[in-house]
Coordinates of all heavy atoms in Angstrom, one line a residue:
M1 N 0.8 -1.2 0.0 CA 0.0 0.0 0.0 C 0.9 1.2 0.0 O 1.9 1.3 0.8 CB -0.9 0.0 1.2 CG -1.8 1.2 1.3 SD -3.1 1.0 2.6 CE -2.2 1.6 4.0
K2 N 0.5 2.2 -0.8 CA 1.3 3.4 -0.9 C 0.8 4.4 0.2 O -0.3 4.7 0.3 CB 1.1 4.1 -2.3 CG 1.7 3.3 -3.4 CD 1.5 4.0 -4.7 CE 2.1 3.1 -5.9 NZ 1.9 3.8 -7.1
V3 N 1.8 4.9 1.0 CA 1.5 5.8 2.0 C 2.2 7.1 1.7 O 3.4 7.1 1.4 CB 1.9 5.3 3.4 CG1 1.6 6.3 4.5 CG2 1.3 3.9 3.7
Y4 N 1.4 8.2 1.7 CA 1.9 9.5 1.5 C 1.9 10.3 2.8 O 1.2 10.0 3.7 CB 1.1 10.2 0.4 CG 1.2 9.6 -0.9 CD1 0.3 8.5 -1.3 CD2 2.1 10.0 -1.9 CE1 0.4 7.9 -2.5 CE2 2.2 9.4 -3.1 CZ 1.3 8.4 -3.4 OH 1.4 7.8 -4.7
F5 N 2.6 11.4 2.8 CA 2.5 12.4 3.9 C 2.5 13.8 3.3 O 3.4 14.1 2.5 CB 3.7 12.2 4.9 CG 3.6 13.0 6.1 CD1 2.9 12.5 7.2 CD2 4.0 14.3 6.2 CE1 2.8 13.2 8.4 CE2 3.9 15.1 7.3 CZ 3.2 14.5 8.4
K6 N 1.6 14.6 3.7 CA 1.5 15.9 3.2 C 1.4 16.9 4.4 O 0.8 16.7 5.4 CB 0.2 16.1 2.4 CG 0.0 15.2 1.3 CD 1.0 15.5 0.2 CE 0.9 14.6 -1.0 NZ 2.0 14.6 -1.9
T7 N 2.0 18.1 4.2 CA 1.9 19.2 5.2 C 0.6 19.9 4.8 O 0.2 20.0 3.6 CB 3.1 20.1 5.2 OG1 3.3 20.6 3.9 CG2 4.3 19.4 5.7
F8 N -0.1 20.5 5.8 CA -1.3 21.2 5.6 C -0.9 22.5 4.8 O 0.2 23.1 4.9 CB -1.9 21.6 6.9 CG -2.6 20.4 7.6 CD1 -2.0 20.0 8.8 CD2 -3.7 19.8 7.1 CE1 -2.6 18.9 9.5 CE2 -4.2 18.7 7.7 CZ -3.7 18.2 8.9
A9 N -1.9 23.0 4.0 CA -1.7 24.2 3.2 C -1.4 25.4 4.0 O -0.7 26.3 3.5 CB -2.9 24.4 2.3
N10 N -1.9 25.5 5.2 CA -1.6 26.6 6.1 C -0.3 26.6 6.8 O 0.0 27.4 7.6 CB -2.8 26.8 7.1 CG -2.9 25.6 8.0 OD1 -3.1 24.5 7.6 ND2 -2.9 25.9 9.3
C11 N 0.5 25.5 6.6 CA 1.8 25.4 7.2 C 2.9 25.7 6.2 O 3.0 25.0 5.2 CB 2.0 24.0 7.8 SG 0.8 23.6 9.1
L12 N 3.7 26.7 6.4 CA 4.7 27.1 5.5 C 6.1 26.7 6.1 O 6.3 26.7 7.3 CB 4.7 28.6 5.3 CG 3.5 29.2 4.7 CD1 3.6 30.7 4.6 CD2 3.1 28.6 3.4
I13 N 7.0 26.3 5.2 CA 8.3 25.9 5.6 C 9.3 27.0 5.1 O 9.3 27.3 3.9 CB 8.7 24.5 5.1 CG1 7.7 23.5 5.6 CG2 10.1 24.2 5.4 CD1 7.8 22.2 4.9
V14 N 10.1 27.5 6.0 CA 11.1 28.6 5.7 C 12.4 28.0 6.0 O 12.8 27.7 7.1 CB 10.8 29.8 6.5 CG1 11.9 30.9 6.2 CG2 9.4 30.3 6.4
K15 N 13.3 27.8 4.9 CA 14.6 27.2 5.1 C 15.6 28.3 5.4 O 15.7 29.3 4.8 CB 15.0 26.5 3.8 CG 16.2 25.7 4.0 CD 16.4 24.7 2.8 CE 17.7 23.9 3.1 NZ 17.9 23.0 2.0
G16 N 16.4 28.1 6.5 CA 17.4 29.0 6.9 C 18.8 28.4 6.6 O 18.9 27.3 6.0
A17 N 19.8 29.1 7.0 CA 21.2 28.7 6.7 C 21.6 27.5 7.5 O 22.2 26.5 7.0 CB 22.1 29.8 7.0
S18 N 21.2 27.4 8.8 CA 21.6 26.3 9.6 C 20.4 25.5 10.1 O 20.6 24.3 10.5 CB 22.4 26.8 10.8 OG 21.6 27.7 11.6
R19 N 19.2 26.0 10.2 CA 18.0 25.3 10.6 C 16.8 26.0 9.9 O 17.0 27.1 9.4 CB 17.9 25.2 12.1 CG 17.8 26.5 12.8 CD 17.7 26.3 14.3 NE 17.6 27.6 14.9 CZ 17.4 27.7 16.2 NH1 17.2 26.7 17.0 NH2 17.4 28.9 16.8
S20 N 15.7 25.4 10.0 CA 14.5 25.9 9.3 C 13.4 26.0 10.3 O 13.5 25.6 11.4 CB 14.1 24.9 8.1 OG 15.2 24.8 7.2
L21 N 12.3 26.6 9.7 CA 11.1 26.9 10.6 C 9.9 26.4 9.9 O 9.8 26.6 8.7 CB 11.0 28.4 10.8 CG 10.1 28.9 11.8 CD1 10.5 28.5 13.2 CD2 9.9 30.4 11.8
I22 N 9.0 25.7 10.6 CA 7.7 25.4 10.0 C 6.7 26.2 10.8 O 6.7 26.2 12.0 CB 7.5 23.9 10.1 CG1 6.2 23.5 9.4 CG2 7.5 23.3 11.5 CD1 6.0 22.0 9.1
C23 N 5.9 27.0 10.0 CA 5.0 27.9 10.6 C 3.5 27.5 10.3 O 3.2 27.3 9.1 CB 5.2 29.3 10.0 SG 6.9 29.9 10.2
D24 N 2.7 27.4 11.3 CA 1.3 27.2 11.1 C 0.6 28.5 11.2 O 0.5 29.1 12.3 CB 0.8 26.2 12.2 CG -0.7 25.8 12.0 OD1 -1.4 26.6 11.4 OD2 -1.0 24.8 12.5
L25 N 0.2 29.0 10.1 CA -0.4 30.4 10.0 C -1.8 30.4 10.7 O -2.1 31.5 11.2 CB -0.5 30.8 8.5 CG 0.8 30.9 7.8 CD1 0.6 31.3 6.3 CD2 1.8 31.8 8.4
Q26 N -2.5 29.3 10.6 CA -3.9 29.3 11.2 C -3.8 29.3 12.7 O -4.6 30.1 13.3 CB -4.6 28.1 10.7 CG -6.0 28.0 11.2 CD -6.7 26.8 10.5 OE1 -6.2 26.1 9.7 NE2 -8.0 26.6 11.0
R27 N -2.9 28.6 13.3 CA -2.9 28.5 14.8 C -1.8 29.4 15.4 O -1.6 29.5 16.6 CB -2.6 27.1 15.2 CG -3.7 26.1 14.9 CD -3.4 24.7 15.5 NE -2.3 24.2 14.8 CZ -1.5 23.3 15.4 NH1 -1.7 22.8 16.6 NH2 -0.4 22.8 14.7
Q28 N -1.1 30.1 14.5 CA 0.0 31.1 14.9 C 1.0 30.4 15.8 O 1.3 30.8 16.9 CB -0.6 32.3 15.6 CG -1.5 33.1 14.7 CD -2.1 34.3 15.4 OE1 -1.9 34.5 16.6 NE2 -2.9 35.1 14.7
A29 N 1.5 29.2 15.3 CA 2.5 28.4 16.0 C 3.6 28.2 15.0 O 3.5 28.2 13.8 CB 1.9 27.1 16.5
S30 N 4.8 28.0 15.6 CA 6.0 27.6 14.7 C 7.0 26.8 15.6 O 7.0 26.9 16.8 CB 6.6 28.9 14.2 OG 7.1 29.7 15.2
D31 N 7.8 26.0 14.9 CA 8.8 25.2 15.5 C 10.0 25.2 14.5 O 9.9 25.2 13.3 CB 8.3 23.8 15.7 CG 7.4 23.7 16.9 OD1 7.8 24.0 18.0 OD2 6.2 23.3 16.7
F32 N 11.2 25.1 15.2 CA 12.4 24.9 14.4 C 12.5 23.5 14.0 O 12.2 22.6 14.8 CB 13.6 25.3 15.2 CG 13.8 26.8 15.4 CD1 13.5 27.4 16.6 CD2 14.1 27.6 14.3 CE1 13.6 28.8 16.7 CE2 14.2 29.0 14.4 CZ 14.0 29.6 15.6
I33 N 13.0 23.2 12.8 CA 13.2 21.9 12.3 C 14.6 21.8 11.6 O 15.1 22.9 11.1 CB 12.1 21.4 11.4 CG1 12.0 22.3 10.2 CG2 10.8 21.2 12.1 CD1 11.0 21.9 9.1
P34 N 15.2 20.7 11.5 CA 16.5 20.6 10.8 C 16.3 20.8 9.3 O 15.2 20.5 8.8 CB 17.0 19.1 11.1 CG 16.1 18.6 12.1 CD 14.8 19.4 12.2
N35 N 17.3 21.3 8.7 CA 17.3 21.5 7.2 C 17.0 20.2 6.4 O 16.4 20.2 5.4 CB 18.5 22.2 6.7 CG 18.5 23.7 7.0 OD1 17.5 24.3 7.3 ND2 19.7 24.3 6.9
D36 N 17.6 19.1 7.0 CA 17.3 17.8 6.3 C 15.9 17.5 6.3 O 15.4 16.8 5.3 CB 18.1 16.7 7.0 CG 19.6 16.9 6.9 OD1 20.1 17.6 5.9 OD2 20.3 16.3 7.7
M37 N 15.1 17.8 7.3 CA 13.7 17.5 7.3 C 13.0 18.3 6.3 O 12.0 17.8 5.7 CB 13.2 17.9 8.7 CG 11.8 17.5 9.0 SD 11.3 17.8 10.7 CE 9.6 17.3 10.7
V38 N 13.4 19.5 6.0 CA 12.8 20.3 4.9 C 12.9 19.6 3.6 O 11.9 19.5 2.8 CB 13.4 21.7 4.8 CG1 12.9 22.5 3.6 CG2 13.2 22.5 6.1
E39 N 14.0 19.0 3.3 CA 14.2 18.3 2.0 C 13.2 17.1 1.9 O 12.6 16.9 0.9 CB 15.6 17.8 1.9 CG 16.0 17.3 0.6 CD 17.5 17.0 0.4 OE1 18.3 17.4 1.3 OE2 17.8 16.3 -0.6
V40 N 13.1 16.4 3.0 CA 12.2 15.2 3.1 C 10.7 15.7 2.9 O 10.0 15.2 2.1 CB 12.3 14.5 4.4 CG1 11.2 13.5 4.6 CG2 13.7 13.8 4.5
L41 N 10.3 16.8 3.6 CA 8.9 17.2 3.5 C 8.6 17.8 2.1 O 7.6 17.6 1.6 CB 8.7 18.3 4.5 CG 8.6 17.8 6.0 CD1 8.5 19.0 6.9 CD2 7.5 16.8 6.2
E42 N 9.6 18.5 1.5 CA 9.4 19.0 0.1 C 9.2 17.9 -0.9 O 8.4 17.9 -1.8 CB 10.6 19.9 -0.3 CG 10.5 21.2 0.4 CD 11.7 22.1 0.1 OE1 12.8 21.6 -0.4 OE2 11.7 23.3 0.4
M43 N 10.0 16.8 -0.7 CA 9.9 15.6 -1.6 C 8.5 15.0 -1.4 O 7.9 14.6 -2.4 CB 11.0 14.6 -1.4 CG 12.3 15.1 -1.9 SD 13.5 13.8 -1.6 CE 14.8 14.3 -2.6
L44 N 8.1 14.8 -0.2 CA 6.8 14.2 0.1 C 5.6 15.1 -0.4 O 4.7 14.6 -0.9 CB 6.6 14.0 1.6 CG 7.5 12.9 2.2 CD1 7.5 12.9 3.7 CD2 7.0 11.5 1.7
N45 N 5.8 16.4 -0.3 CA 4.7 17.3 -0.9 C 4.7 17.3 -2.4 O 3.7 17.7 -3.0 CB 4.9 18.7 -0.4 CG 4.4 18.9 1.1 OD1 3.5 18.2 1.5 ND2 5.1 19.7 1.8
S46 N 5.8 16.8 -3.0 CA 5.8 16.7 -4.5 C 5.3 15.3 -5.0 O 5.7 14.8 -6.0 CB 7.2 17.0 -5.0 OG 8.1 16.0 -4.7
K47 N 4.5 14.7 -4.2 CA 3.8 13.4 -4.5 C 4.7 12.2 -4.5 O 4.5 11.2 -5.2 CB 3.1 13.5 -5.8 CG 2.1 14.6 -5.8 CD 1.2 14.6 -7.0 CE 0.2 15.8 -6.9 NZ -0.5 16.0 -8.0
K48 N 5.8 12.2 -3.7 CA 6.6 10.9 -3.5 C 6.0 10.2 -2.3 O 5.6 10.8 -1.3 CB 8.0 11.3 -3.3 CG 8.7 11.8 -4.5 CD 10.2 11.7 -4.5 CE 10.9 12.2 -5.6 NZ 10.6 11.7 -6.9
T49 N 6.0 8.9 -2.4 CA 5.6 8.1 -1.2 C 6.7 8.0 -0.2 O 7.9 8.3 -0.4 CB 5.2 6.6 -1.6 OG1 6.4 6.0 -2.1 CG2 4.2 6.6 -2.7
I50 N 6.3 7.6 1.0 CA 7.3 7.5 2.1 C 8.3 6.4 1.7 O 9.5 6.6 2.0 CB 6.6 7.1 3.4 CG1 5.7 8.3 3.9 CG2 7.6 6.8 4.5 CD1 4.8 8.1 5.1
E51 N 7.9 5.4 1.1 CA 8.8 4.3 0.7 C 9.8 4.8 -0.3 O 11.0 4.5 -0.3 CB 8.0 3.1 0.1 CG 8.8 1.9 -0.1 CD 9.5 1.4 1.2 OE1 8.8 1.4 2.3 OE2 10.7 1.0 1.1
Q52 N 9.4 5.7 -1.3 CA 10.3 6.3 -2.2 C 11.4 7.1 -1.5 O 12.5 7.1 -1.9 CB 9.5 7.1 -3.3 CG 8.7 6.3 -4.2 CD 7.8 7.1 -5.1 OE1 7.3 8.1 -4.7 NE2 7.7 6.7 -6.4
I53 N 10.9 7.9 -0.5 CA 11.8 8.7 0.2 C 12.9 7.9 0.9 O 14.1 8.2 0.9 CB 11.1 9.6 1.2 CG1 10.1 10.6 0.5 CG2 12.0 10.4 2.1 CD1 10.7 11.5 -0.5
I54 N 12.4 6.8 1.5 CA 13.4 5.9 2.2 C 14.4 5.3 1.2 O 15.6 5.2 1.6 CB 12.6 4.8 3.0 CG1 11.9 5.5 4.2 CG2 13.5 3.7 3.5 CD1 10.8 4.6 4.9
Q55 N 13.9 5.0 0.1 CA 14.8 4.4 -1.0 C 15.9 5.5 -1.4 O 17.0 5.2 -1.6 CB 14.1 4.0 -2.2 CG 13.3 2.7 -1.9 CD 12.4 2.3 -3.1 OE1 12.4 3.0 -4.1 NE2 11.8 1.1 -3.1
I56 N 15.4 6.7 -1.5 CA 16.4 7.8 -1.9 C 17.4 8.1 -0.8 O 18.6 8.2 -1.1 CB 15.6 9.1 -2.2 CG1 14.7 9.0 -3.4 CG2 16.5 10.3 -2.3 CD1 13.7 10.0 -3.7
F57 N 17.0 8.1 0.5 CA 17.9 8.5 1.5 C 18.6 7.3 2.2 O 19.5 7.4 3.0 CB 17.2 9.3 2.6 CG 16.9 10.7 2.2 CD1 15.6 11.0 1.7 CD2 17.8 11.7 2.3 CE1 15.3 12.3 1.3 CE2 17.5 13.0 1.9 CZ 16.3 13.3 1.4
G58 N 18.1 6.1 1.8 CA 18.8 4.9 2.3 C 18.0 4.3 3.5 O 17.5 5.0 4.3
E59 N 18.1 2.9 3.5 CA 17.4 2.2 4.6 C 17.9 2.5 6.0 O 17.2 2.5 6.9 CB 17.5 0.7 4.3 CG 16.6 -0.2 5.1 CD 15.1 -0.1 4.7 OE1 14.8 0.2 3.5 OE2 14.3 -0.2 5.6
E60 N 19.2 2.9 6.0 CA 19.8 3.3 7.3 C 19.2 4.5 7.9 O 19.3 4.8 9.1 CB 21.3 3.4 7.2 CG 21.8 4.6 6.4 CD 21.9 4.2 4.9 OE1 21.5 3.1 4.5 OE2 22.3 5.1 4.1
N61 N 18.5 5.3 7.1 CA 17.8 6.6 7.6 C 16.3 6.4 7.8 O 15.7 7.4 8.1 CB 18.1 7.7 6.6 CG 19.6 8.1 6.6 OD1 20.2 8.2 7.6 ND2 20.1 8.2 5.4
K62 N 15.8 5.2 7.7 CA 14.4 5.0 7.8 C 13.8 5.4 9.1 O 12.8 6.1 9.2 CB 14.1 3.5 7.6 CG 12.6 3.2 7.6 CD 12.4 1.7 7.3 CE 10.9 1.4 7.3 NZ 10.6 0.0 7.0
E63 N 14.5 5.1 10.2 CA 14.0 5.4 11.6 C 14.0 6.9 11.8 O 13.0 7.5 12.3 CB 14.9 4.7 12.6 CG 14.4 4.9 14.0 CD 15.3 4.2 15.0 OE1 15.8 3.1 14.7 OE2 15.3 4.6 16.2
I64 N 15.0 7.6 11.3 CA 15.1 9.1 11.5 C 14.0 9.7 10.7 O 13.3 10.7 11.2 CB 16.5 9.6 11.0 CG1 17.5 9.1 11.9 CG2 16.5 11.1 11.0 CD1 18.9 9.3 11.5
I65 N 13.7 9.3 9.4 CA 12.7 9.8 8.6 C 11.3 9.6 9.3 O 10.5 10.5 9.3 CB 12.7 9.2 7.2 CG1 13.9 9.7 6.4 CG2 11.4 9.6 6.4 CD1 14.2 9.0 5.2
Q66 N 11.1 8.4 9.8 CA 9.8 8.2 10.5 C 9.7 9.0 11.7 O 8.6 9.5 12.0 CB 9.8 6.7 10.9 CG 8.4 6.2 11.3 CD 7.3 6.5 10.2 OE1 7.5 6.0 9.1 NE2 6.3 7.2 10.5
E67 N 10.8 9.3 12.5 CA 10.7 10.2 13.6 C 10.3 11.6 13.2 O 9.5 12.3 13.9 CB 12.0 10.2 14.4 CG 12.3 8.9 15.2 CD 13.7 8.9 15.8 OE1 14.3 10.0 15.9 OE2 14.1 7.9 16.3
Y68 N 10.9 12.1 12.1 CA 10.5 13.4 11.5 C 9.0 13.5 11.3 O 8.4 14.4 11.7 CB 11.3 13.7 10.2 CG 12.7 14.1 10.3 CD1 13.5 14.0 9.1 CD2 13.3 14.5 11.4 CE1 14.8 14.4 9.1 CE2 14.6 14.9 11.5 CZ 15.4 14.8 10.3 OH 16.7 15.2 10.3
L69 N 8.5 12.5 10.6 CA 7.1 12.5 10.2 C 6.2 12.3 11.4 O 5.2 13.0 11.4 CB 6.9 11.3 9.2 CG 7.6 11.4 7.8 CD1 7.3 10.3 6.9 CD2 7.4 12.8 7.2
D70 N 6.6 11.5 12.3 CA 5.8 11.4 13.5 C 5.7 12.7 14.3 O 4.7 13.1 14.8 CB 6.3 10.3 14.5 CG 6.1 8.9 13.9 OD1 5.2 8.8 13.0 OD2 6.7 8.0 14.4
Y71 N 6.9 13.5 14.3 CA 6.9 14.8 15.0 C 6.0 15.8 14.3 O 5.2 16.4 14.9 CB 8.3 15.3 15.0 CG 8.5 16.7 15.5 CD1 8.5 16.9 16.9 CD2 8.6 17.8 14.7 CE1 8.6 18.2 17.4 CE2 8.7 19.1 15.1 CZ 8.7 19.3 16.5 OH 8.8 20.6 17.0
V72 N 6.1 15.8 13.0 CA 5.2 16.8 12.2 C 3.7 16.4 12.4 O 2.9 17.3 12.5 CB 5.7 16.8 10.7 CG1 4.7 17.6 9.9 CG2 7.1 17.3 10.6
D73 N 3.4 15.1 12.4 CA 2.1 14.6 12.6 C 1.6 15.0 14.0 O 0.5 15.5 14.1 CB 2.0 13.1 12.3 CG 0.6 12.6 12.5 OD1 -0.3 13.1 11.9 OD2 0.4 11.6 13.2
E74 N 2.4 14.8 15.0 CA 2.0 15.0 16.4 C 1.8 16.5 16.6 O 0.8 16.9 17.3 CB 3.2 14.6 17.3 CG 2.9 14.9 18.7 CD 4.2 14.5 19.6 OE1 4.7 13.4 19.4 OE2 4.6 15.4 20.4
K75 N 2.5 17.4 15.9 CA 2.4 18.8 16.1 C 1.2 19.3 15.2 O 0.9 20.5 15.2 CB 3.7 19.5 15.7 CG 4.8 19.4 16.7 CD 4.5 20.1 17.9 CE 5.7 20.4 18.7 NZ 5.5 21.4 19.7
E76 N 0.6 18.4 14.4 CA -0.5 18.7 13.5 C -0.1 19.7 12.4 O -0.8 20.6 12.0 CB -1.7 19.2 14.2 CG -2.3 18.2 15.2 CD -3.4 18.7 16.0 OE1 -3.7 19.9 16.0 OE2 -4.1 17.8 16.6
Y77 N 1.1 19.6 11.8 CA 1.6 20.3 10.7 C 1.4 19.6 9.4 O 1.5 20.1 8.3 CB 3.1 20.7 10.8 CG 3.4 21.6 12.0 CD1 4.5 21.3 12.8 CD2 2.7 22.7 12.2 CE1 4.9 22.2 13.8 CE2 3.0 23.6 13.3 CZ 4.1 23.3 14.1 OH 4.4 24.1 15.1
G78 N 1.0 18.3 9.5 CA 0.8 17.5 8.3 C 0.0 16.2 8.7 O -0.4 16.0 9.8
F79 N -0.2 15.4 7.7 CA -1.0 14.2 7.9 C -0.6 13.1 6.9 O -0.1 13.3 5.9 CB -2.5 14.5 7.7 CG -2.8 15.0 6.3 CD1 -3.3 14.2 5.3 CD2 -2.6 16.4 6.0 CE1 -3.6 14.7 4.1 CE2 -2.9 16.8 4.7 CZ -3.4 16.0 3.8
Y80 N -0.8 11.8 7.4 CA -0.6 10.6 6.5 C -1.8 10.5 5.6 O -3.0 10.7 6.0 CB -0.4 9.4 7.4 CG 0.9 9.4 8.2 CD1 0.9 9.8 9.5 CD2 2.0 8.9 7.6 CE1 2.1 9.8 10.2 CE2 3.2 8.9 8.3 CZ 3.2 9.3 9.6 OH 4.4 9.3 10.3
C81 N -1.6 10.0 4.4 CA -2.7 9.8 3.5 C -2.4 8.6 2.5 O -1.2 8.2 2.4 CB -3.1 11.0 2.7 SG -1.8 11.9 1.9

């Protein structure tokens, strides 16, 4: 089964030099995230499956990617679909 992850339309990602920010405009909340996470989220938002992302970044990074996605899901910046 193909599993996707999308960030909500009201959540913007701003990439910085050393770290990035994910901003929820509707709830007026924001959190710092690693720049690597931005790359993963941008790929997922461009219609890649989670499995495709894991293949791109390697099986050794699967746990870290899943932690990123669980964090974004927990903070309600995105959702699994």
